[in-house]
């Protein structure tokens, strides 16, 4: 029997969770006929949740994400780091 140690990275789990939430919110906005990019940018800049639809619980989901963490993930993703 070999001793196996499973490792995990909390930051990577958090990043995956935020990406999944952002995808759900994006899809909800798109399904309701909004321009998801414009709405998300409006929300990120103002932190006003009314930019996000309540459809599919999207508004509730996005408000659970820390805006600083979201910005870090977006910049990291954009720069490919």
């Amino acid at each position: 029997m070999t001793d196996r140690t499973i490792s995990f990275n909390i930051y990577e789990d958090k990043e995956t969770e935020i990406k999944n939430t952002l995808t759900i919110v994006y899809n909800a906005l798109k399904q309701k006929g909004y321009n998801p990019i414009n709405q998300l940018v409006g929300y990120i800049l103002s932190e006003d949740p009314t930019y996000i639809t309540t459809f599919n619980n999207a508004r509730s989901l996005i408000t659970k994400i820390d805006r600083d963490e979201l910005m870090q993930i977006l910049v990291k993703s954009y720069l490919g780091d």
Side-chain angles (χ1 to χ4, degrees):
M1 183 170 147
T2 58
D3 182 25
R4 290 181 168 207
T5 303
I6 299 173
S7 67
F8 67 95
N9 184 326
I10 292 174
Y11 183 77
E12 287 178 10
D13 290 344
K14 184 72 171 175
E15 187 174 325
T16 300
E17 180 183 333
I18 290 173
K19 285 181 180 181
N20 289 340
T21 299
L22 202 55
T23 300
I24 291 168
V25 171
Y26 178 93
N27 288 334
L29 288 164
K30 193 168 188 157
Q31 287 177 24
K32 291 304 281 183
Y34 295 105
N35 180 321
I37 301 300
N38 288 346
Q39 296 304 113
L40 285 164
V41 168
Y43 170 73
I44 291 168
L45 291 176
S46 69
E47 209 167 4
D48 180 356
T50 60
Y51 279 97
I52 307 301
T53 181
T54 57
F55 180 69
N56 282 350
N57 208 28
R59 186 178 295 166
S60 177
L61 291 171
I62 197 79
T63 58
K64 292 178 184 176
I65 297 174
D66 179 72
R67 193 168 66 158
D68 291 337
E69 285 181 325
L70 177 57
M71 290 298 294
Q72 287 176 8
I73 290 169
L74 291 172
V75 170
K76 181 181 174 184
S77 177
Y78 182 78
L79 295 175
D81 185 22

